[in-house]
Amino acid sequence: MLRALFVGLSENKTLRRFAERSAVGRRVSGRFVAGTEIADAVRATQSVNRSGMSVSIDNLGENVSNPEEAQQSARLYQQILDAIVANHLNANVSLKLTHMGLDVDKEMAREIVSGLVVRAAAMQPRGFVRVDMEGSPYTQLTLDFVHELHRVPGHQECVGAVIQAYLKRSESDVEKLLSEGIRIRLCKGAYKEPASIAFERKDEVDANYIRLMKILMKSETYHGLATHDENIIREAQAFATSEKIARDAFEFQMLYGIRRDLQQRLVRDGWRMRVYIPFGTEWYPYFMRRLGERPANALFVARNMLRW
Ligand code: FAD
């Protein structure tokens, strides 16, 4: 229920306008967001890289409403790719198609993302663009985009998809992506979806996650297991050991600011870890979804607000 409440709040435009403009809002969001500028993301990435982890940089934003905003997002992502090269960062980028103008003009969004993948493919070492997965109205469109981008000669290894374990359709989507060797990030899913298309109970989502995770781990492609769930991480480790899957054949992924202890422990034990680092002025929907995932986060934020 709490999760549904925060996902609902994440879509409230008035609250969003107020929060993103207020100084307190920006300070509170610092728990999960690296800052507002590319330089902030670079600093956070350098620090995470120093502790032996790779990074995926995400410029926060979704559902832009005009072509100028989409082109602005595109320029920012080109600058992030430049910053990765200039600062020798061990990082790739994650983006949302609605941030690249999918709702405004599909063709434009396609050109923008294609331009970013071309740039990533030309980087030394080669870069990578992860297309985040949004709510279910975008699932098929997003997967079609990734399939199409991946088919372009020279783009293999440079673009990947995200699969949400709470969706009932995901096993069939996984099969199609794997048949073309497309890299997948597996997550549980962060949006509010109807019971007709999504598992509702945590045990069902977890069971589907583990089933899909084993399929990914047995495939020949390099995938990301995005979760902070210790039970699932233990299952993955046990499966890797019993199936003799090398520790560098896949990676764990976690969000910036969440379970740093677990991130460091995994790296110490020789597992690969990538941290997803979001930055930007449009942090509100992302932040609200994170609060909804754990009641303690809302309490933490409320306590800090009282202190200021
Ligand atoms: P949960 O069952 O939610 O949590 C397990 C445990 O992890 C909790 O008990 C708690 O200890 C810890 N934990 C989880 N969340 C938090 C939190 N916010 N604060 C503190 N502790 C927490 N979702 C999408 O829909 N599309 C995407 O493209 C996408 N990309 C992602 C990329 C990465 C790298 C990660 C890690 C997640 C991504 N997600 C995405 C979000 C994901 O779908 C989940 O909503 C989120 O990761 C919480 O699920 P969980 O697997 O950690 O398990």
Side-chain angles (χ1 to χ4, degrees), residues 42-53:
V42 168
R43 261 193 303 279
T45 301
Q46 285 168 328
S47 156
V48 169
N49 281 171
R50 273 196 297 275
S51 51
M53 307 180 216

Side-chain angles (χ1 to χ4, degrees), residues 13 76 90 140 184-185 192 200 209 216 219 247:
K13 290 198 174 73
L76 229 140
N90 180 359
Q140 192 57 53
I184 296 172
R185 170 201 296 151
K192 195 164 66 186
E200 287 201 304
Y209 190 109
L216 299 192
S219 77
R247 291 184 182 202

Side-chain angles (χ1 to χ4, degrees), residues 3 31-32 56 94 96 130-135 162 164 166 185-191 202 206 209 225-230 232 253-255 257-259 274-276 289-294 297:
R3 182 165 167 265
R31 171 81 173 82
F32 302 120
S56 194
S94 290
K96 290 187 172 42
R130 176 79 64 185
V131 182
D132 283 348
M133 188 55 81
E134 303 178 64
V162 176
Q164 297 157 322
Y166 64 14
R185 170 201 296 151
L186 180 63
C187 66
K188 290 192 188 178
Y191 297 82
K202 176 175 159 57
D206 290 358
Y209 190 109
L225 305 178
T227 184
H228 315 91
D229 190 324
E230 285 202 70
I232 291 185
Q253 298 184 352
M254 292 189 201
L255 302 177
I258 299 182
R259 293 303 313 265
R274 186 179 300 275
V275 177
Y276 183 101
R289 287 197 294 271
R290 300 292 82 80
L291 289 193
E293 281 157 5
R294 193 162 172 255
N297 284 339

Side-chain angles (χ1 to χ4, degrees), residues 122-139:
M123 283 162 62
Q124 283 300 337
R126 290 182 99 199
F128 181 81
V129 176
R130 176 79 64 185
V131 182
D132 283 348
M133 188 55 81
E134 303 178 64
S136 57
Y138 300 105
T139 309

